[in-house]
Amino acid sequence: MIPRPIEALERLLPTTYGIDEQVDWAVAEARWGASFPADYKAFMGAYGEGYVDDVIAVHRPLPADTPDGSRPADAMADGTGAVREVWRVEADEIWADPAGPDMVLDPGALLAWGTTTEADILCWLTTDDDPDRWPVVVCGRHTVPTFALYRFGMAEFLRRLLAGGFDSVPLSVDRVRRRKSHAFVSLVVQRARRSAGLDPWTGEPPGG
């Protein structure tokens, strides 16, 4: 059964150009030492790895095979390493928690599920044994403070962002929130369009 947060997200973000990533979740969970939230698994099955509004990239938990056999990108690992390094560099006084200060904040528990074109990093805080209770953490490239915690999952975070459900912009880029309609295009679809000489985001001929 698809989790309700995904159903709500689909009403704002069509799955037309998504794919089923067919992730080997046993391998992914062994790699990261934890299970993944149900809404994220459903997202990978309905949308896959790709971009929301050509602004927010949502990452696979494992590197994807590349058509030319080159070394695959490992965006989740790259983002996770980067966000933990930001924590180490910026140290204290970088947190804002809209829901209260009682949660244990551990940089080693940050796991990146997405990034933005402005170098924001979207994460889970994985301290709870139940992954469906992992809150979203935003590490903003140009936000003040740098880190903010939101006590709901990634699908609900995206839904609220697309619906304009935040009082202030949670990211360094506001183009998503200001759009009247939204689109998702998977990386697989983008690569196919690029190979066909089409714009990877719109699917139209260049200059069309």
Side-chain angles (χ1 to χ4, degrees):
M1 181 177 179
I2 296 177
R4 291 170 61 187
I6 284 292
E7 295 174 348
L9 180 61
E10 287 179 353
R11 289 195 283 271
L12 294 172
L13 187 67
T15 61
T16 309
Y17 300 113
I19 65 160
D20 181 354
E21 287 285 350
Q22 299 183 341
V23 174
D24 187 329
W25 291 107
V27 173
E29 291 166 1
R31 182 194 192 194
W32 291 104
S35 298
F36 284 87
D39 63 341
Y40 175 70
K41 290 182 176 182
F43 190 100
M44 285 292 111
Y47 296 94
E49 182 174 38
Y51 279 84
V52 178
D53 289 343
D54 205 19
V55 173
I56 300 172
V58 180
H59 306 315
R60 284 172 49 94
L62 296 168
D65 294 334
T66 54
D68 59 2
S70 60
R71 182 179 180 182
D74 196 354
M76 181 171 282
D78 292 343
T80 298
V83 74
R84 293 176 183 179
E85 180 62 21
V86 171
W87 179 294
R88 285 190 289 269
V89 170
E90 301 213 7
D92 299 327
E93 299 179 2
I94 54 177
W95 275 95
D97 178 3
D102 60 305
M103 183 168 288
V104 175
L105 303 175
D106 175 9
L110 293 174
L111 178 57
W113 56 263
T115 50
T116 75
T117 53
E118 292 295 321
D120 302 313
I121 306 173
L122 312 178
C123 313
W124 295 290
L125 186 67
T126 65
T127 51
D128 199 296
D129 291 337
D130 181 357
D132 291 331
R133 293 173 58 86
W134 290 352
V136 167
V137 170
V138 174
C139 173
R141 179 67 178 84
H142 302 293
T143 60
V144 179
T146 302
F147 288 86
L149 185 146
Y150 301 92
R151 297 194 181 202
F152 35 77
M154 59 87 68
E156 177 62 10
F157 177 85
L158 291 174
R159 187 199 69 78
R160 293 192 188 198
L161 184 67
L162 301 186
F166 291 104
D167 293 334
S168 59
V169 184
L171 305 175
S172 299
V173 57
D174 194 24
R175 296 200 308 274
V176 172
R177 194 175 70 152
R178 290 187 283 107
R179 294 187 179 184
K180 294 181 179 180
S181 62
H182 304 281
F184 178 90
V185 182
S186 75
L187 291 188
V188 170
V189 171
Q190 290 188 43
R191 283 195 294 267
R193 288 175 172 177
R194 193 175 289 110
S195 296
L198 304 174
D199 182 286
W201 180 252
T202 66
E204 299 292 332

PDB file of all heavy atoms in Angstrom, residues 2-24:
ATOM      1  N   ILE A   2       0.631   2.182  -0.926  1.00  0.00           N
ATOM      2  CA  ILE A   2       1.427   3.406  -0.999  1.00  0.00           C
ATOM      3  C   ILE A   2       1.099   4.300   0.189  1.00  0.00           C
ATOM      4  O   ILE A   2      -0.080   4.538   0.489  1.00  0.00           O
ATOM      5  CB  ILE A   2       1.144   4.169  -2.306  1.00  0.00           C
ATOM      6  CG1 ILE A   2       1.583   3.324  -3.500  1.00  0.00           C
ATOM      7  CG2 ILE A   2       1.870   5.509  -2.328  1.00  0.00           C
ATOM      8  CD1 ILE A   2       1.271   3.957  -4.827  1.00  0.00           C
ATOM      9  N   PRO A   3       2.127   4.784   0.891  1.00  0.00           N
ATOM     10  CA  PRO A   3       1.869   5.645   2.046  1.00  0.00           C
ATOM     11  C   PRO A   3       1.095   6.898   1.652  1.00  0.00           C
ATOM     12  O   PRO A   3       1.275   7.446   0.571  1.00  0.00           O
ATOM     13  CB  PRO A   3       3.289   5.999   2.529  1.00  0.00           C
ATOM     14  CG  PRO A   3       4.145   4.908   2.005  1.00  0.00           C
ATOM     15  CD  PRO A   3       3.551   4.507   0.701  1.00  0.00           C
ATOM     16  N   ARG A   4       0.235   7.350   2.534  1.00  0.00           N
ATOM     17  CA  ARG A   4      -0.597   8.508   2.253  1.00  0.00           C
ATOM     18  C   ARG A   4       0.188   9.765   1.902  1.00  0.00           C
ATOM     19  O   ARG A   4      -0.270  10.545   1.055  1.00  0.00           O
ATOM     20  CB  ARG A   4      -1.533   8.749   3.435  1.00  0.00           C
ATOM     21  CG  ARG A   4      -2.590   7.650   3.565  1.00  0.00           C
ATOM     22  CD  ARG A   4      -3.361   7.755   4.847  1.00  0.00           C
ATOM     23  NE  ARG A   4      -4.086   9.019   4.970  1.00  0.00           N
ATOM     24  CZ  ARG A   4      -4.725   9.387   6.070  1.00  0.00           C
ATOM     25  NH1 ARG A   4      -4.714   8.609   7.143  1.00  0.00           N
ATOM     26  NH2 ARG A   4      -5.371  10.536   6.113  1.00  0.00           N
ATOM     27  N   PRO A   5       1.358  10.044   2.516  1.00  0.00           N
ATOM     28  CA  PRO A   5       2.107  11.225   2.092  1.00  0.00           C
ATOM     29  C   PRO A   5       2.453  11.226   0.603  1.00  0.00           C
ATOM     30  O   PRO A   5       2.477  12.282  -0.039  1.00  0.00           O
ATOM     31  CB  PRO A   5       3.372  11.164   2.953  1.00  0.00           C
ATOM     32  CG  PRO A   5       2.955  10.427   4.172  1.00  0.00           C
ATOM     33  CD  PRO A   5       1.991   9.385   3.673  1.00  0.00           C
ATOM     34  N   ILE A   6       2.714  10.053   0.019  1.00  0.00           N
ATOM     35  CA  ILE A   6       3.008   9.986  -1.407  1.00  0.00           C
ATOM     36  C   ILE A   6       1.757  10.288  -2.224  1.00  0.00           C
ATOM     37  O   ILE A   6       1.805  10.986  -3.242  1.00  0.00           O
ATOM     38  CB  ILE A   6       3.581   8.604  -1.779  1.00  0.00           C
ATOM     39  CG1 ILE A   6       5.037   8.509  -1.318  1.00  0.00           C
ATOM     40  CG2 ILE A   6       3.510   8.364  -3.284  1.00  0.00           C
ATOM     41  CD1 ILE A   6       5.994   9.416  -2.064  1.00  0.00           C
ATOM     42  N   GLU A   7       0.622   9.783  -1.807  1.00  0.00           N
ATOM     43  CA  GLU A   7      -0.626  10.076  -2.499  1.00  0.00           C
ATOM     44  C   GLU A   7      -0.898  11.577  -2.513  1.00  0.00           C
ATOM     45  O   GLU A   7      -1.325  12.136  -3.532  1.00  0.00           O
ATOM     46  CB  GLU A   7      -1.781   9.328  -1.833  1.00  0.00           C
ATOM     47  CG  GLU A   7      -1.674   7.816  -1.946  1.00  0.00           C
ATOM     48  CD  GLU A   7      -2.749   7.099  -1.143  1.00  0.00           C
ATOM     49  OE1 GLU A   7      -3.417   7.764  -0.321  1.00  0.00           O
ATOM     50  OE2 GLU A   7      -2.917   5.888  -1.339  1.00  0.00           O
ATOM     51  N   ALA A   8      -0.655  12.234  -1.383  1.00  0.00           N
ATOM     52  CA  ALA A   8      -0.852  13.685  -1.311  1.00  0.00           C
ATOM     53  C   ALA A   8       0.141  14.414  -2.209  1.00  0.00           C
ATOM     54  O   ALA A   8      -0.207  15.394  -2.874  1.00  0.00           O
ATOM     55  CB  ALA A   8      -0.722  14.159   0.132  1.00  0.00           C
ATOM     56  N   LEU A   9       1.377  13.939  -2.240  1.00  0.00           N
ATOM     57  CA  LEU A   9       2.390  14.571  -3.087  1.00  0.00           C
ATOM     58  C   LEU A   9       2.045  14.420  -4.561  1.00  0.00           C
ATOM     59  O   LEU A   9       2.219  15.355  -5.349  1.00  0.00           O
ATOM     60  CB  LEU A   9       3.758  13.953  -2.798  1.00  0.00           C
ATOM     61  CG  LEU A   9       4.937  14.491  -3.607  1.00  0.00           C
ATOM     62  CD1 LEU A   9       5.144  15.983  -3.345  1.00  0.00           C
ATOM     63  CD2 LEU A   9       6.204  13.714  -3.270  1.00  0.00           C
ATOM     64  N   GLU A  10       1.531  13.262  -4.941  1.00  0.00           N
ATOM     65  CA  GLU A  10       1.211  13.011  -6.354  1.00  0.00           C
ATOM     66  C   GLU A  10       0.139  13.959  -6.878  1.00  0.00           C
ATOM     67  O   GLU A  10       0.077  14.224  -8.085  1.00  0.00           O
ATOM     68  CB  GLU A  10       0.778  11.563  -6.545  1.00  0.00           C
ATOM     69  CG  GLU A  10       1.926  10.572  -6.456  1.00  0.00           C
ATOM     70  CD  GLU A  10       1.468   9.136  -6.621  1.00  0.00           C
ATOM     71  OE1 GLU A  10       0.231   8.909  -6.678  1.00  0.00           O
ATOM     72  OE2 GLU A  10       2.325   8.252  -6.694  1.00  0.00           O
ATOM     73  N   ARG A  11      -0.699  14.479  -6.001  1.00  0.00           N
ATOM     74  CA  ARG A  11      -1.724  15.427  -6.445  1.00  0.00           C
ATOM     75  C   ARG A  11      -1.104  16.753  -6.881  1.00  0.00           C
ATOM     76  O   ARG A  11      -1.712  17.506  -7.651  1.00  0.00           O
ATOM     77  CB  ARG A  11      -2.747  15.648  -5.333  1.00  0.00           C
ATOM     78  CG  ARG A  11      -3.645  14.436  -5.103  1.00  0.00           C
ATOM     79  CD  ARG A  11      -4.852  14.787  -4.272  1.00  0.00           C
ATOM     80  NE  ARG A  11      -4.534  14.925  -2.858  1.00  0.00           N
ATOM     81  CZ  ARG A  11      -4.555  13.919  -1.985  1.00  0.00           C
ATOM     82  NH1 ARG A  11      -4.874  12.703  -2.384  1.00  0.00           N
ATOM     83  NH2 ARG A  11      -4.259  14.124  -0.718  1.00  0.00           N
ATOM     84  N   LEU A  12       0.106  17.037  -6.394  1.00  0.00           N
ATOM     85  CA  LEU A  12       0.800  18.264  -6.771  1.00  0.00           C
ATOM     86  C   LEU A  12       1.932  18.019  -7.772  1.00  0.00           C
ATOM     87  O   LEU A  12       2.287  18.919  -8.535  1.00  0.00           O
ATOM     88  CB  LEU A  12       1.398  18.927  -5.520  1.00  0.00           C
ATOM     89  CG  LEU A  12       0.429  19.466  -4.473  1.00  0.00           C
ATOM     90  CD1 LEU A  12       1.191  19.890  -3.234  1.00  0.00           C
ATOM     91  CD2 LEU A  12      -0.361  20.635  -5.042  1.00  0.00           C
ATOM     92  N   LEU A  13       2.486  16.815  -7.744  1.00  0.00           N
ATOM     93  CA  LEU A  13       3.673  16.503  -8.530  1.00  0.00           C
ATOM     94  C   LEU A  13       3.409  15.234  -9.342  1.00  0.00           C
ATOM     95  O   LEU A  13       3.558  14.124  -8.829  1.00  0.00           O
ATOM     96  CB  LEU A  13       4.873  16.307  -7.599  1.00  0.00           C
ATOM     97  CG  LEU A  13       6.241  16.143  -8.257  1.00  0.00           C
ATOM     98  CD1 LEU A  13       6.660  17.455  -8.940  1.00  0.00           C
ATOM     99  CD2 LEU A  13       7.288  15.734  -7.214  1.00  0.00           C
ATOM    100  N   PRO A  14       3.012  15.353 -10.613  1.00  0.00           N
ATOM    101  CA  PRO A  14       2.691  14.174 -11.418  1.00  0.00           C
ATOM    102  C   PRO A  14       3.891  13.235 -11.561  1.00  0.00           C
ATOM    103  O   PRO A  14       5.040  13.669 -11.592  1.00  0.00           O
ATOM    104  CB  PRO A  14       2.295  14.769 -12.778  1.00  0.00           C
ATOM    105  CG  PRO A  14       1.919  16.186 -12.486  1.00  0.00           C
ATOM    106  CD  PRO A  14       2.780  16.619 -11.341  1.00  0.00           C
ATOM    107  N   THR A  15       3.586  11.957 -11.672  1.00  0.00           N
ATOM    108  CA  THR A  15       4.623  10.935 -11.845  1.00  0.00           C
ATOM    109  C   THR A  15       4.868  10.607 -13.321  1.00  0.00           C
ATOM    110  O   THR A  15       5.548   9.640 -13.643  1.00  0.00           O
ATOM    111  CB  THR A  15       4.223   9.643 -11.118  1.00  0.00           C
ATOM    112  OG1 THR A  15       2.998   9.141 -11.676  1.00  0.00           O
ATOM    113  CG2 THR A  15       4.031   9.886  -9.625  1.00  0.00           C
ATOM    114  N   THR A  16       4.336  11.425 -14.219  1.00  0.00           N
ATOM    115  CA  THR A  16       4.367  11.147 -15.659  1.00  0.00           C
ATOM    116  C   THR A  16       5.759  10.805 -16.163  1.00  0.00           C
ATOM    117  O   THR A  16       5.936   9.873 -16.965  1.00  0.00           O
ATOM    118  CB  THR A  16       3.827  12.363 -16.441  1.00  0.00           C
ATOM    119  OG1 THR A  16       2.573  12.747 -15.905  1.00  0.00           O
ATOM    120  CG2 THR A  16       3.687  12.034 -17.925  1.00  0.00           C
ATOM    121  N   TYR A  17       6.765  11.535 -15.721  1.00  0.00           N
ATOM    122  CA  TYR A  17       8.129  11.317 -16.201  1.00  0.00           C
ATOM    123  C   TYR A  17       9.025  10.717 -15.126  1.00  0.00           C
ATOM    124  O   TYR A  17      10.238  10.898 -15.139  1.00  0.00           O
ATOM    125  CB  TYR A  17       8.711  12.635 -16.724  1.00  0.00           C
ATOM    126  CG  TYR A  17       7.898  13.194 -17.869  1.00  0.00           C
ATOM    127  CD1 TYR A  17       7.177  14.379 -17.725  1.00  0.00           C
ATOM    128  CD2 TYR A  17       7.809  12.501 -19.076  1.00  0.00           C
ATOM    129  CE1 TYR A  17       6.403  14.871 -18.760  1.00  0.00           C
ATOM    130  CE2 TYR A  17       7.039  12.998 -20.113  1.00  0.00           C
ATOM    131  CZ  TYR A  17       6.339  14.186 -19.950  1.00  0.00           C
ATOM    132  OH  TYR A  17       5.566  14.670 -20.985  1.00  0.00           O
ATOM    133  N   GLY A  18       8.402   9.997 -14.208  1.00  0.00           N
ATOM    134  CA  GLY A  18       9.148   9.233 -13.223  1.00  0.00           C
ATOM    135  C   GLY A  18       9.328   7.801 -13.692  1.00  0.00           C
ATOM    136  O   GLY A  18       8.751   7.373 -14.700  1.00  0.00           O
ATOM    137  N   ILE A  19      10.150   7.050 -12.970  1.00  0.00           N
ATOM    138  CA  ILE A  19      10.350   5.630 -13.256  1.00  0.00           C
ATOM    139  C   ILE A  19      10.407   4.870 -11.934  1.00  0.00           C
ATOM    140  O   ILE A  19      10.611   5.472 -10.874  1.00  0.00           O
ATOM    141  CB  ILE A  19      11.651   5.367 -14.035  1.00  0.00           C
ATOM    142  CG1 ILE A  19      12.872   5.742 -13.171  1.00  0.00           C
ATOM    143  CG2 ILE A  19      11.674   6.088 -15.362  1.00  0.00           C
ATOM    144  CD1 ILE A  19      14.157   5.102 -13.638  1.00  0.00           C
ATOM    145  N   ASP A  20      10.245   3.564 -12.005  1.00  0.00           N
ATOM    146  CA  ASP A  20      10.474   2.711 -10.847  1.00  0.00           C
ATOM    147  C   ASP A  20      11.962   2.362 -10.837  1.00  0.00           C
ATOM    148  O   ASP A  20      12.451   1.674 -11.730  1.00  0.00           O
ATOM    149  CB  ASP A  20       9.628   1.446 -10.952  1.00  0.00           C
ATOM    150  CG  ASP A  20       9.805   0.506  -9.757  1.00  0.00           C
ATOM    151  OD1 ASP A  20      10.663   0.771  -8.901  1.00  0.00           O
ATOM    152  OD2 ASP A  20       9.083  -0.504  -9.703  1.00  0.00           O
ATOM    153  N   GLU A  21      12.689   2.851  -9.837  1.00  0.00           N
ATOM    154  CA  GLU A  21      14.129   2.610  -9.772  1.00  0.00           C
ATOM    155  C   GLU A  21      14.475   1.144  -9.481  1.00  0.00           C
ATOM    156  O   GLU A  21      15.606   0.721  -9.697  1.00  0.00           O
ATOM    157  CB  GLU A  21      14.773   3.489  -8.693  1.00  0.00           C
ATOM    158  CG  GLU A  21      14.871   4.944  -9.045  1.00  0.00           C
ATOM    159  CD  GLU A  21      15.967   5.249 -10.064  1.00  0.00           C
ATOM    160  OE1 GLU A  21      16.773   4.344 -10.363  1.00  0.00           O
ATOM    161  OE2 GLU A  21      15.998   6.384 -10.554  1.00  0.00           O
ATOM    162  N   GLN A  22      13.503   0.378  -8.967  1.00  0.00           N
ATOM    163  CA  GLN A  22      13.739  -1.034  -8.644  1.00  0.00           C
ATOM    164  C   GLN A  22      14.984  -1.199  -7.767  1.00  0.00           C
ATOM    165  O   GLN A  22      15.888  -1.979  -8.059  1.00  0.00           O
ATOM    166  CB  GLN A  22      13.847  -1.862  -9.921  1.00  0.00           C
ATOM    167  CG  GLN A  22      12.574  -1.814 -10.759  1.00  0.00           C
ATOM    168  CD  GLN A  22      12.624  -2.686 -11.992  1.00  0.00           C
ATOM    169  OE1 GLN A  22      13.696  -3.087 -12.453  1.00  0.00           O
ATOM    170  NE2 GLN A  22      11.462  -3.000 -12.543  1.00  0.00           N
ATOM    171  N   VAL A  23      15.021  -0.432  -6.705  1.00  0.00           N
ATOM    172  CA  VAL A  23      16.150  -0.448  -5.772  1.00  0.00           C
ATOM    173  C   VAL A  23      16.197  -1.788  -5.039  1.00  0.00           C
ATOM    174  O   VAL A  23      15.162  -2.309  -4.604  1.00  0.00           O
ATOM    175  CB  VAL A  23      16.016   0.700  -4.748  1.00  0.00           C
ATOM    176  CG1 VAL A  23      17.103   0.604  -3.679  1.00  0.00           C
ATOM    177  CG2 VAL A  23      16.062   2.045  -5.452  1.00  0.00           C
ATOM    178  N   ASP A  24      17.377  -2.339  -4.909  1.00  0.00           N
ATOM    179  CA  ASP A  24      17.566  -3.520  -4.062  1.00  0.00           C
ATOM    180  C   ASP A  24      17.688  -3.007  -2.626  1.00  0.00           C
ATOM    181  O   ASP A  24      18.767  -2.618  -2.168  1.00  0.00           O
ATOM    182  CB  ASP A  24      18.828  -4.277  -4.477  1.00  0.00           C
ATOM    183  CG  ASP A  24      18.971  -5.609  -3.742  1.00  0.00           C
ATOM    184  OD1 ASP A  24      18.511  -5.701  -2.594  1.00  0.00           O
ATOM    185  OD2 ASP A  24      19.570  -6.539  -4.311  1.00  0.00           O
TER     186      ASP A  24
END
